[in-house]
């Protein structure tokens, strides 16, 4: 009887450990659009490819991929080992664990998070050869709100997006999902003056499925195609009150939406020639237009 009880206990403990993985269970996947000067699509995804125990901690390997139009496939960029405990997410670097997200943070908290060193798609700060340790990049939580995903309420943490020191923002953070910026660990550390800064597209772990509405989770090269980019003109950019589009007669637009950097729907309409944006705050926004032939036109603009 004792061996059976021992095995049953061990099996239960393993299942409890697995069930605690709400951020990065095996096969979980995030998709993002990275920064691109011409808004042609910089497709990035992160997938939990395997698991490994480090110091008795059940960790997950997240592999980052970047889409290659030349190879017509996803190219592996780098991997990051993460561990989640007490609703916090840590990454492993140089034999130590560093905090990446705190999903228990409250409004007014400053989370002392870190950025991985020289990890390509996982690093949002610059890298110097003499820097061997992760960079401290604290983020300040302005408010904590809620969003419904698959019938369950999740916290969203709103952090500053402008007017602060560089490398101290992760955009809007969703509980158990992470940053809605341009990558898994947040925003990159440079000022985007032209083009599309990029943002979160979707997350799926087999149980939880969430799309930001910014792009379709299945979208790849059909978004922001070069011919459309060249043919459709958006002006002025930056704009203050009115946004105008010059659309050739050969292109039929059946509707549009305007999204903020967090993927939230702000405006919608059908008349694409002139759009009143006077109610929008200052910042970067995205105009997403649906074409009659099923294609999607995406263009960023700056409200000043």
């Amino acid at each position: 009887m004792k061996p059976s009880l021992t095995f049953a206990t061990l099996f239960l403990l393993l299942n409890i450990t697995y069930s605690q993985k709400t951020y990065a269970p095996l096969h979980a996947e995030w998709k993002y659009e990275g920064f691109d000067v011409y808004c042609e699509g910089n497709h990035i995804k992160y997938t939990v490819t395997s698991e490994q125990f480090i110091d008795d901690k059940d960790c997950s390997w997240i592999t980052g991929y970047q889409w290659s139009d030349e190879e017509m496939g996803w190219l592996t960029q780098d991997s990051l080992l993460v561990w989640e405990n007490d609703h916090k997410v840590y990454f492993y670097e140089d034999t130590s664990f560093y905090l990446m997200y705190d999903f228990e943070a409250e409004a007014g908290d400053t989370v002392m998070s870190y950025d991985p060193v020289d990890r390509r798609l996982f690093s949002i700060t610059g890298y110097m050869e003499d820097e061997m340790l992760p960079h401290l990049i604290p983020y300040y939580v302005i408010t904590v709100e809620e969003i419904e995903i698959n019938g369950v309420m999740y916290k969203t943490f709103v952090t500053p997006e402008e007017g602060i020191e560089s490398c101290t923002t992760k955009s809007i953070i969703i509980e158990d999902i992470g940053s809605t910026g341009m990558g898994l660990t947040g925003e990159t550390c440079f000022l985007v003056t032209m083009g599309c800064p990029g943002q979160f597209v979707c997350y799926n772990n087999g149980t939880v499925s969430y799309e930001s509405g910014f792009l379709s989770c299945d979208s790849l090269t059909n978004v922001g195609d070069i011919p459309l980019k060249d043919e459709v003109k958006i002006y002025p950019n930056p704009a203050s009150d009115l946004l105008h589009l010059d659309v050739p007669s050969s292109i039929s637009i059946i509707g549009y939406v305007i999204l903020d950097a967090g993927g939230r729907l702000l405006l919608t309409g059908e008349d694409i020639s002139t759009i009143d944006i006077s109610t929008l705050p200052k910042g970067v926004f995205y105009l997403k237009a649906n074409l009659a032939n099923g294609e999607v036109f995406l263009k960023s603009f700056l409200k000043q």
Side-chain angles (χ1 to χ4, degrees), residues 74-93:
W74 293 100
L75 302 182
T76 303
Q77 296 295 309
D78 210 334
S79 294
L80 189 70
L81 193 67
V82 301
W83 171 60
E84 47 192 290
N85 183 51
D86 290 337
H87 230 40
K88 296 179 177 62
V89 179
Y90 304 83
F91 66 88
Y92 188 73
E93 189 88 59

Side-chain angles (χ1 to χ4, degrees), residues 36 47 65 96 107 124 172 175 259 279:
D36 189 87
T47 305
Y65 303 87
S96 298
I124 63 177
I172 296 174
E175 178 183 11
L259 310 168
T279 58

